[in-house]
Amino acid sequence: MDIYKIDSHKLVYHLDRLYDWYKGKDIYPLYIEISPWGGCNQRCIFCALDFLGYKPHFLGIKVLKKFLKDIAGAGVKSIMFAGEGEPLIYKDIAEAITYAKGRGLDVALTTNGVFLNEKFLKEAFSSLSWLRVSFNAPTPRKYSFIHGTKKEDFYRATENIKKAVILKKKKKLSTVLGVQFLLLEENAKDIGKMIKLSKSLGVDYLIIKPYSYHPKSKNYLKVNYKKFLSLGKRISKYEDKKFKIIFRERAILSLVNRRIYKRCLGLSFWAYLSSDGSLYACSSFLGDKRFIYGNIYKESFKKIWRSEKRREIIKTMQDWDTKKCRSACRLEQINNFLWEIKNPPPHKNFI
């Protein structure tokens, strides 16, 4: 049961910003994804950003704090630390999270869980709205293959998740802890075991989502998602009051069916900060300088957001062919919603 609306969108809860956008105002985003570190300790077979080379770029904590202060002042509501690499390798991640929380931002983190140690949990876990662990196999051997790493990482990640669950219960924290499972041909037969493992670990939910190929990625996995569409109903029986299964049916349908929207309209509501300080219009265009609004080492967030460069990029996207974009992208459901608003049906007044 998707009580968090992960497989949908939440723009309807921000009607003031949505109304300003509808009237053509140049609004600030609601959400920004931040990549504090570009390197990664794993080489997952499904990694969409392998083409970037896992370069060990990192954001200086001083410039990152200034950015966080600036976006909070501009009305940005939330951030997620994730990105091109593993965010928990970033040595200042706990400080960045607690600082962002102190500025009034809702903060989240996506990780592979290997470095989810007790020190981090004590310092920053309580400042997170949610933490999600990418965990794509229920056995050490399969985990090692899919994550492109040693079997020991399976045990480290599971033990770290257990420690997080214990701390959450002990401190009665509101932080939501979840596991995300990318559904592939290589692990589809392991779903039952994955549900059992996730439930035994004590996490709040298990997400099952589809793989989305990035046009620049060196990895390419072929998955027939049509045969998995009925899976959500079959596995929902394993839920209970404390454990939810979120099957990303809408995301799968976006891969199976033709795209509804013809233009990307959601870029005003989000942005992506890369590990080298570049603020991108979209994570699908990482490494493409044509879609960089600016760099926070050179200019403030507000100056970048109000810049002529950003206006030019937004204008370019008005004529951009979405067939060139990544399937099942981060803004898929938002774009469906905004497209319908901008393109109402006949007889719209007959509600």
Side-chain angles (χ1 to χ4, degrees):
M1 183 178 180
D2 190 6
I3 61 174
Y4 307 103
K5 290 190 175 292
I6 293 171
D7 199 35
S8 183
H9 69 89
K10 305 180 187 83
L11 281 186
V12 291
Y13 305 108
H14 301 278
L15 294 179
D16 53 345
R17 200 82 55 105
L18 182 62
Y19 182 75
D20 286 344
W21 169 84
Y22 181 74
K23 289 297 183 181
K25 293 184 179 180
D26 190 12
I27 62 170
Y28 283 115
L30 288 165
Y31 163 80
I32 296 178
E33 183 174 331
I34 299 174
S35 176
W37 173 260
C40 190
N41 58 310
Q42 298 186 344
R43 294 294 182 270
C44 301
I45 62 172
F46 56 81
C47 182
L49 301 179
D50 57 336
F51 65 93
L52 294 172
Y54 309 104
K55 296 175 183 176
H57 296 146
F58 64 92
L59 294 168
I61 188 61
K62 288 185 178 179
V63 72
L64 177 55
K65 278 183 166 182
K66 183 182 183 303
F67 176 78
L68 294 171
K69 180 182 178 181
D70 287 348
I71 65 173
V76 172
K77 300 292 186 182
S78 65
I79 60 170
M80 178 179 71
F81 287 107
E84 307 105 74
E86 168 50 50
L88 287 182
I89 299 177
Y90 180 60
K91 67 181 182 67
D92 298 310
I93 187 64
E95 183 179 353
I97 288 171
T98 54
Y99 180 83
K101 180 65 175 179
R103 286 288 169 180
L105 293 164
D106 290 339
V107 190
L109 174 76
T110 298
T111 173
N112 58 43
V114 175
F115 299 105
L116 189 63
N117 55 41
E118 290 183 14
K119 183 177 184 296
F120 170 82
L121 290 171
K122 289 178 180 179
E123 292 178 356
F125 190 46
S126 63
S127 294
L128 294 169
S129 295
W130 54 264
L131 186 152
R132 191 175 300 157
V133 180
S134 176
F135 207 108
N136 302 285
T139 63
R141 185 183 63 82
K142 185 66 71 69
Y143 178 96
S144 175
F145 168 69
I146 292 178
H147 283 256
T149 188
K150 52 189 180 296
K151 293 179 182 178
E152 287 75 13
D153 277 0
F154 173 88
Y155 298 106
R156 289 180 67 183
T158 51
E159 286 304 309
N160 290 340
I161 292 171
K162 289 177 184 178
K163 290 174 184 176
V165 171
I166 291 171
L167 182 62
K168 176 181 175 176
K169 290 179 178 177
K170 182 180 178 180
K171 299 290 186 180
K172 297 181 179 179
L173 303 178
S174 61
T175 305
V176 174
L177 179 61
V179 168
Q180 181 165 280
F181 179 86
L182 199 67
L183 181 58
L184 308 169
E185 297 288 357
E186 290 80 358
N187 62 12
K189 293 181 180 180
D190 300 317
I191 289 177
K193 290 181 180 179
M194 194 65 217
I195 292 172
K196 186 176 180 180
L197 174 62
S198 302
K199 205 169 184 177
S200 70
L201 290 173
V203 297
D204 297 299
Y205 63 72
L206 167 67
I207 294 176
I208 299 174
K209 65 174 287 187
Y211 158 77
S212 173
Y213 171 67
H214 193 292
K216 291 185 178 181
S217 179
K218 298 174 184 177
N219 295 322
Y220 177 72
L221 302 177
K222 190 174 182 180
V223 187
N224 177 17
Y225 281 112
K226 286 185 178 180
K227 64 183 180 182
F228 296 122
L229 281 172
S230 63
L231 181 62
K233 292 181 181 179
R234 299 204 307 268
I235 61 179
S236 62
K237 63 183 179 182
Y238 297 105
E239 291 185 319
D240 57 39
K241 291 182 179 180
K242 294 182 179 180
F243 176 72
K244 302 300 179 185
I245 300 173
I246 301 170
F247 181 70
R248 296 286 306 274
E249 183 177 355
R250 288 184 178 181
I252 289 177
L253 285 170
S254 69
L255 292 171
V256 174
N257 299 329
R258 190 170 59 180
R259 205 165 234 155
I260 296 173
Y261 60 92
K262 297 179 181 179
R263 297 290 178 267
C264 182
L265 302 173
L267 295 181
S268 295
F269 295 93
W270 96 303
Y272 181 100
L273 181 66
S274 71
S275 55
D276 67 358
S278 297
L279 190 67
Y280 280 88
C282 180
S283 57
S284 292
F285 300 126
L286 292 179
D288 192 332
K289 295 181 179 179
R290 294 178 299 167
F291 298 95
I292 298 176
Y293 292 149
N295 192 289
I296 63 171
Y297 282 97
K298 298 177 181 179
E299 296 175 301
S300 69
F301 167 73
K302 288 186 177 181
K303 191 171 182 180
I304 292 171
W305 199 259
R306 298 300 187 192
S307 68
E308 184 61 32
K309 177 69 179 296
R310 180 179 164 271
R311 283 192 287 270
E312 290 175 358
I313 291 172
I314 295 298
K315 186 177 180 181
T316 297
M317 292 306 297
Q318 290 176 358
D319 297 319
W320 185 262
D321 184 0
T322 56
K323 292 179 181 178
K324 298 179 182 178
C325 293
R326 184 179 178 183
S327 298
C329 79
R330 187 67 58 82
L331 296 177
E332 193 78 21
Q333 298 306 322
I334 287 176
N335 275 325
N336 285 337
F337 176 66
L338 296 178
W339 182 260
E340 192 169 358
I341 289 176
K342 286 289 188 177
N343 299 272
H347 311 155
K348 66 176 183 178
N349 293 331
F350 291 87
I351 61 172

